[in-house]
Amino acid sequence: MHKAIVVGGGIGGLSAAIGLHGIGWEVTVLERAPELTAVGAGISLWPNALRSLETLDIHLDKLREQASGGLHDREGRRITRWDADAFRRHHGRPLAAIHRADLIAALHDALPAGCVRTGIEVTNPEDLDADVIVAADGIHSGLRKRLWPRHPEPVYSGSTAFRAVTALPHPTELSTSWDDGAEIGVIPLHDGRVYWWASYVAEPGIRYEDPKAYLRRRFGGWHEPIPELIAASTPEALLHHDLYLLGTPLPSYVRGRVALLGDAAHAMPPFLGQGGCQAIEDAVVLAAALSTTEDVDAALKSYDEQRRPRSQAVVKSSVQAGRMGPQLRNPLAVAIRNSVFRMLPGVLTARIGAGVSGWAPPVPRRPAPPRMP
């Protein structure tokens, strides 16, 4: 039996472990943290990720399909309408969202007991005994640095972001709101809570003694439910991170028997909501490639050839989406952009991003069940 070790117990690492276990490999996940946790935030799952999860036989009972919503300015004036029914017809799946903790729990539960080992830090892949090592150790990947010591480090995207999950006493709808150099997104979750984020152009490293008071000052004049969401969020629920990306593409996602996956391979800004989705895609392609041949080197080469062009193109598209969307600050350019979007019908805006979310995963070959004597 082939053996794989996955370094990193996040969305990408656990998805890779599920894919490899599904093709009959023995898999161990090594996670540096003392326990599997997820930041207190949500994640949007686009049709490409939903198809990939289905291929891995993962079905999420805490998933929330998004109903129609829209893009607004800070006053609440609609810039364009997003048609959920048209989106589903065109993409074949809905746009959905889930709390990251629920997704991590579902992925963990799909693995055999004892497969995930926590509190173990890996700094050198040569210390590991496996046919394949999956480096899924995040944007600041130690294994990437070990294997490509001269490759440039992640760079700042130009934006910082607050995120939180909170409850409101009334339902709210999916929405994104833009102002000069800023964006606030609102995504309902399955249990009535709301995942929201605020990103804006700023220098990196700036922190506030009272983050909630800062958010009230910075965004309190925006349309509802934004001030209400800020007020309802406890200080402990507020997460603040500067947004980084792997600005220089890697020349390969594979070195020897090590395959990079997820943010370790192609960290991107969140302006297309594709970071986690691309990691799940990686996992399916890796499992499919390794399921079709006994030649591990050939399979890893195929994984690299399939994943690197696509995921690096998504990184570029995410950067461009940020520059034309929430990072755009020139008032005239903002006015022109908003006017163009206002002229687009909802059916047409539902087709935006089809080149990314329309991707269909390969299906890994599962081993035949043993014959009964």
Side-chain angles (χ1 to χ4, degrees):
M1 177 182 289
H2 288 297
K3 180 179 179 181
I5 294 177
V6 179
V7 181
I11 292 170
L14 293 176
S15 297
I18 292 167
L20 294 172
H21 174 69
I23 64 171
W25 281 47
E26 178 186 340
V27 185
T28 302
V29 180
L30 303 180
E31 166 57 41
R32 178 177 58 185
E35 59 182 358
L36 281 188
T37 58
V39 296
I43 179 173
S44 56
L45 294 176
W46 293 76
N48 52 309
L50 295 178
R51 292 188 193 94
S52 298
L53 289 168
E54 291 167 9
T55 300
L56 295 175
D57 200 27
I58 301 298
H59 303 281
L60 303 171
D61 58 1
K62 295 183 179 180
L63 199 67
R64 168 73 179 262
E65 296 185 9
Q66 299 301 301
S68 296
L71 177 65
H72 307 83
D73 64 17
R74 61 172 291 165
E75 306 298 330
R77 294 184 293 258
R78 188 182 295 275
I79 296 175
T80 188
R81 177 176 173 268
W82 181 76
D83 188 325
D85 292 334
F87 182 91
R88 181 161 191 155
R89 286 195 303 270
H90 186 73
H91 297 265
R93 299 290 187 285
L95 171 63
I98 191 170
H99 196 291
R100 284 178 179 266
D102 292 332
L103 178 56
I104 290 290
L107 295 174
H108 178 264
D109 290 347
L111 288 167
C115 174
V116 179
R117 298 169 58 189
T118 58
I120 300 176
E121 183 170 7
V122 178
T123 58
N124 187 352
E126 294 179 0
D127 295 336
L128 303 176
D129 180 20
D131 298 291
V132 168
I133 297 161
V134 180
D137 52 340
I139 184 171
H140 299 292
S141 169
L143 296 189
R144 182 185 66 230
K145 188 172 182 63
R146 178 87 181 190
L147 296 170
W148 284 273
R150 297 183 179 179
H151 193 82
E153 290 293 303
V155 296
Y156 183 52
S157 70
S159 291
T160 192
F162 283 90
R163 295 176 291 169
V165 173
T166 191
L168 288 179
H170 55 80
T172 189
E173 68 171 9
L174 174 76
S175 71
T176 300
S177 302
W178 282 345
D179 192 25
D180 299 358
E183 171 186 67
I184 296 182
V186 177
I187 301 183
L189 299 177
H190 87 286
D191 57 2
R193 292 183 298 169
V194 177
Y195 167 49
W196 67 274
W197 74 90
S199 75
Y200 56 94
V201 175
E203 293 296 319
I206 299 174
R207 295 296 181 266
Y208 302 94
E209 184 176 347
D210 188 341
K212 188 169 178 176
Y214 168 76
L215 289 171
R216 284 191 179 118
R217 293 193 303 271
R218 180 73 168 75
F219 299 109
W222 287 43
H223 67 86
E224 291 294 353
I226 292 167
E228 188 179 12
L229 284 167
I230 295 172
S233 299
T234 63
E236 301 78 34
L238 290 171
L239 306 171
H240 186 192
H241 296 96
D242 296 330
L243 304 178
Y244 283 79
L245 70 145
L246 200 60
T248 302
L250 281 166
S252 175
Y253 290 174
V254 172
R255 177 152 290 182
R257 57 184 173 148
V258 182
L260 269 65
L261 182 147
D263 282 352
H266 46 68
M268 63 191 68
F271 303 122
L272 287 181
Q274 279 289 325
C277 299
Q278 291 300 302
I280 299 168
E281 283 190 16
D282 290 346
V284 175
V285 172
L286 180 63
L290 288 167
S291 73
T292 58
T293 178
E294 288 293 314
D295 188 336
V296 171
D297 291 338
L300 293 181
K301 183 175 183 289
S302 175
Y303 165 74
D304 177 60
E305 290 174 345
Q306 293 181 68
R307 290 307 303 155
R308 187 158 43 89
R310 171 168 166 80
S311 58
Q312 290 178 351
V314 175
V315 174
K316 291 181 180 179
S317 296
S318 298
V319 172
Q320 293 168 354
R323 290 173 178 169
M324 295 304 298
Q327 293 181 317
L328 192 63
R329 290 192 289 177
N330 181 284
L332 178 59
V334 168
I336 293 172
R337 177 202 63 196
N338 291 357
S339 296
V340 170
F341 270 88
R342 284 191 177 99
M343 291 187 293
L344 298 177
V347 173
L348 184 58
T349 59
R351 298 184 179 185
I352 293 174
V356 175
S357 61
W359 183 85
V363 179
R365 295 180 183 175
R366 299 181 182 275
R371 293 183 178 181
M372 298 294 292

